[in-house]
Amino acid sequence: MTIGKEMYDLCAKLFPYCRSITGDGVRKTLHDLKAVVPEMTLHEVPSGTRVFDWTVPKEWRIRDAWIKNSKGEKVLDFHETNLRVMGYSLPLDEKMSLDELKKIIYTQPDQPDVIPYVTSYYKERSGFCMTQLEKDALPEDTYHAYIDSELFDGSLTYGEVILPGETDDEILLSTYDCHPSMANNELSGPAVSVYLAKWLKTLPHRHYTYRFVYIPETIGSITYMSQGDHLAHMKKHVKAGFNLSCVGDDRTYTYVASRYGDTLADRVAKNVLHFHYPKYEARSFLYRGSDERQYNAPGIELPVCAVCRSKYGEYPEYHTSKDDMGLISPSGLEGAYRAYQLMLEALEANRTYRVTCYGEPQLGKRGLYPTISQKGSYDGIKAMTDLITYADGRNDLIAISDRIGVPVHDLIPIAKKMLDAGLFEEVEE
C-alpha cells in the first residue's frame, strides 16, 4: 500500500466524526492519530480558562437533530451528515411554521446545491443547514425542529508530538482538527502531518527537534501558546514553522507567506516549490486565513508560513458538503507529503559553509574534477564550482541554491564531498 493510500484511508476513517472546537469528536480523532504516532500526548484545558485575550468556551455535545413535517417524516437528519446542524447549536424542541423555520435554516445561495458549514461558537443560538434548493422546496406546513445537544463546563483538547533532535532548535508543524465532515479543509492536514511525524521518527539523525501540534483552529493555537512556557520556549527555539491545511487535492500547490515573507520557513518553501512544483501559486500574508494568523500576530511573531494544495477559502468546495472524500485523493495527499518531506530534508541539511583555501581549489588532485579538459567536460561540475564560488561564509545552502539555480537537494551531496575533502568548513551562525 502506498503512503498516499494509507493517508487517504485514515481520512476516510475520520470523515464521519462530528468534530468541533471542543468535544468527543476531537478526542476520537486525536486517539486515531495517536495510533499512527504513539508518542502523541493529549491535553485538556478547562472551559473558562483565560488564554491571552480569549476564554476557552464551554464544551459542546450533540446526540441527535432533525426536522419533521406534520406527517412525522424527516425533511432533515443530522445522522445523514453532521453538516446539517450549525456548530454549537443550543438544544431545541419546538413546532413552528415554515416562515419561522426558515429563519434558522442556513444555506449558500450562490451555490444552491451544497450544504454550507456554519458555526456560532461565541453567540448562543440554534440552527440547521440545507441546500438552497432544499429550502426553496419546503412546502407550507407545521414543522417540528429538534436538536438534542448541550453546552457544559468541559475542556478543549489538543495533541502534541515532540521528536527530540541533536539540537534544541525546533521546526513547528501545526494543523487543526475542529471541523466536521470535510475532507480537504479538515482531514488532509492531520493525515499528512502525522505521517510526516512517523517518517521523521525513522531518521537515524535529526538535527532539529520537531514540534507537532494538533489543535482546534484559532482558539486552539491561542490556547496552546498560552499554556505554561510554550510561547517563550517557541520564540526562543522555533527556527521555522508551517501550518498544514488543505493539502489533499490534486489541483495545485499554494504558498502563503508569513507576515513579512522573510523567514527561513518562507525561504525553504519558495525554494522547494520553485524547483519541484514551478506552477505553484503564491499569496502574501494579506491572504492569510488559518493559524498562520495567530503564529504571526504582533508580540508572538513566530516564523510560520503555510504550504497548501488548493488554498483554503479559494476553492469552490471549501466549507461545504462538496468538500468530501471525492475531492481529495491518495496522489494529492502523497504529493503534499513529498513536498513537506523535501522542505524538511532541505532544512535538515541547510548549513553555511566557507572554503578553506585561498583561490580556486585544485579539485583534480582530489578526484573531484575531470582530468581531461575537453569541450563539455566542465558541464557536469558547474554546480560544484558555483557552490564553491558562494561558499564564503555568508550564504547558507538555500541562499546559494536560489542564486545559482540548482535545487538544494542537488547541492547537499556536493557539500558533503567538499567537507570530506577538507575544502569546506561549517560556519556557526
Side-chain angles (χ1 to χ4, degrees), residues 368-381:
L368 299 173
Y369 196 91
T371 55
I372 295 178
S373 180
Q374 182 180 352
K375 181 180 179 180
S377 62
Y378 182 74
D379 296 346
I381 64 160

Side-chain angles (χ1 to χ4, degrees), residues 199-427:
W199 161 68
L200 284 164
K201 285 171 51 183
T202 68
L203 299 184
H205 301 285
R206 290 187 298 268
H207 176 74
Y208 288 103
T209 292
Y210 288 84
R211 181 180 295 263
F212 287 82
V213 180
Y214 302 85
I215 48 179
E217 199 170 21
T218 304
I219 185 64
S221 53
I222 290 169
T223 298
Y224 181 80
M225 290 187 289
S226 75
Q227 296 300 289
D229 67 345
H230 281 176
L231 179 57
H233 178 92
M234 292 163 74
K235 284 172 71 73
K236 181 178 180 181
H237 293 288
V238 171
K239 302 306 178 185
F242 305 92
N243 184 55
L244 279 74
S245 171
C246 301
V247 287
D249 71 317
D250 286 284
R251 290 172 177 159
T252 187
Y253 289 86
T254 309
Y255 152 72
V256 184
S258 67
R259 193 151 58 112
Y260 288 100
D262 58 358
T263 71
L264 178 59
D266 293 282
R267 292 175 56 221
V268 73
K270 288 186 286 186
N271 180 281
V272 165
L273 291 172
H274 169 73
F275 285 109
H276 296 277
Y277 312 99
K279 294 183 180 180
Y280 81 95
E281 299 181 0
R283 300 286 186 274
S284 79
F285 190 68
L286 297 178
Y287 293 88
R288 64 199 180 277
S290 187
D291 278 324
E292 68 277 0
R293 306 183 339 261
Q294 310 309 328
Y295 294 125
N296 280 273
I300 292 176
E301 297 165 354
L302 292 173
V304 175
C305 68
V307 173
C308 315
R309 299 293 308 240
S310 294
K311 180 184 171 293
Y312 43 81
E314 295 187 9
Y315 61 93
E317 300 88 352
Y318 177 73
H319 275 199
T320 77
S321 55
K322 291 292 182 70
D323 191 345
D324 57 20
M325 291 301 298
L327 180 61
I328 66 172
S329 69
S331 60
L333 292 162
E334 186 162 346
Y337 172 84
R338 298 299 180 198
Y340 271 97
Q341 262 193 329
L342 289 169
M343 290 189 287
L344 298 181
E345 287 171 346
L347 289 172
E348 281 287 309
N350 191 46
R351 302 288 187 276
T352 300
Y353 297 108
R354 181 167 47 228
V355 178
T356 57
C357 66
Y358 289 110
E360 186 174 288
Q362 221 288 1
L363 298 175
K365 69 181 181 180
R366 297 176 172 89
L368 299 173
Y369 196 91
T371 55
I372 295 178
S373 180
Q374 182 180 352
K375 181 180 179 180
S377 62
Y378 182 74
D379 296 346
I381 64 160
K382 187 173 189 306
M384 180 183 297
T385 57
D386 285 348
L387 172 59
I388 292 169
T389 298
Y390 290 100
D392 56 6
R394 297 166 54 189
N395 306 292
D396 61 18
L397 281 184
I398 296 172
I400 295 174
S401 169
D402 290 338
R403 182 172 291 275
I404 69 176
V406 176
V408 172
H409 284 74
D410 292 353
L411 299 181
I412 293 171
I414 300 173
K416 185 178 186 306
K417 287 181 182 179
M418 295 295 104
L419 281 169
D420 292 344
L423 289 174
F424 276 8
E425 62 182 6
E426 188 174 333
V427 177

Side-chain angles (χ1 to χ4, degrees), residues 22-24 27 44-48 56-63 88-91 124 149-156:
T22 62
D24 291 335
R27 295 185 186 98
E44 303 280 351
V45 181
S47 300
V56 174
K58 290 186 176 183
E59 187 171 331
W60 184 59
R61 180 177 294 146
I62 182 167
R63 288 170 287 268
Y88 261 61
S89 282
L90 292 174
E124 295 186 351
S149 66
E150 59 180 319
L151 287 173
F152 59 95
D153 287 331
S155 60
L156 177 151

Side-chain angles (χ1 to χ4, degrees), residues 86 103-108 116 118 125-130:
M86 172 192 286
K103 292 176 182 177
I104 58 170
I105 292 178
Y106 296 84
T107 66
Q108 192 72 36
V118 181
R125 52 166 60 93
S126 300
F128 299 92
C129 298
M130 286 184 173

Side-chain angles (χ1 to χ4, degrees), residues 80-233:
E80 174 210 346
T81 171
N82 48 46
L83 291 173
R84 287 293 192 184
V85 176
M86 172 192 286
Y88 261 61
S89 282
L90 292 174
L92 181 67
D93 189 0
E94 293 183 18
K95 291 188 175 180
M96 56 186 69
S97 68
L98 177 60
D99 286 343
E100 291 171 319
L101 179 64
K102 282 185 172 181
K103 292 176 182 177
I104 58 170
I105 292 178
Y106 296 84
T107 66
Q108 192 72 36
D110 60 331
Q111 294 176 273
D113 61 338
V114 305
I115 304 168
Y117 165 57
V118 181
T119 64
S120 184
Y121 299 135
Y122 303 107
K123 182 174 176 58
E124 295 186 351
R125 52 166 60 93
S126 300
F128 299 92
C129 298
M130 286 184 173
T131 71
Q132 185 65 49
L133 295 174
E134 290 171 333
K135 185 177 180 179
D136 291 344
L138 288 173
E140 288 290 343
D141 200 353
T142 298
Y143 292 90
H144 186 179
Y146 177 77
I147 299 175
D148 180 9
S149 66
E150 59 180 319
L151 287 173
F152 59 95
D153 287 331
S155 60
L156 177 151
T157 314
Y158 69 83
E160 179 185 57
V161 178
I162 305 293
L163 300 178
E166 296 165 349
T167 70
D168 292 333
D169 292 341
E170 291 187 3
I171 305 298
L172 169 68
L173 293 106
S174 179
T175 191
Y176 51 79
D177 53 11
C178 57
H179 297 77
S181 296
M182 289 179 287
N184 198 36
N185 181 54
E186 169 57 27
L187 299 173
S188 63
V192 170
S193 173
V194 79
Y195 272 88
L196 286 170
K198 184 178 180 180
W199 161 68
L200 284 164
K201 285 171 51 183
T202 68
L203 299 184
H205 301 285
R206 290 187 298 268
H207 176 74
Y208 288 103
T209 292
Y210 288 84
R211 181 180 295 263
F212 287 82
V213 180
Y214 302 85
I215 48 179
E217 199 170 21
T218 304
I219 185 64
S221 53
I222 290 169
T223 298
Y224 181 80
M225 290 187 289
S226 75
Q227 296 300 289
D229 67 345
H230 281 176
L231 179 57
H233 178 92

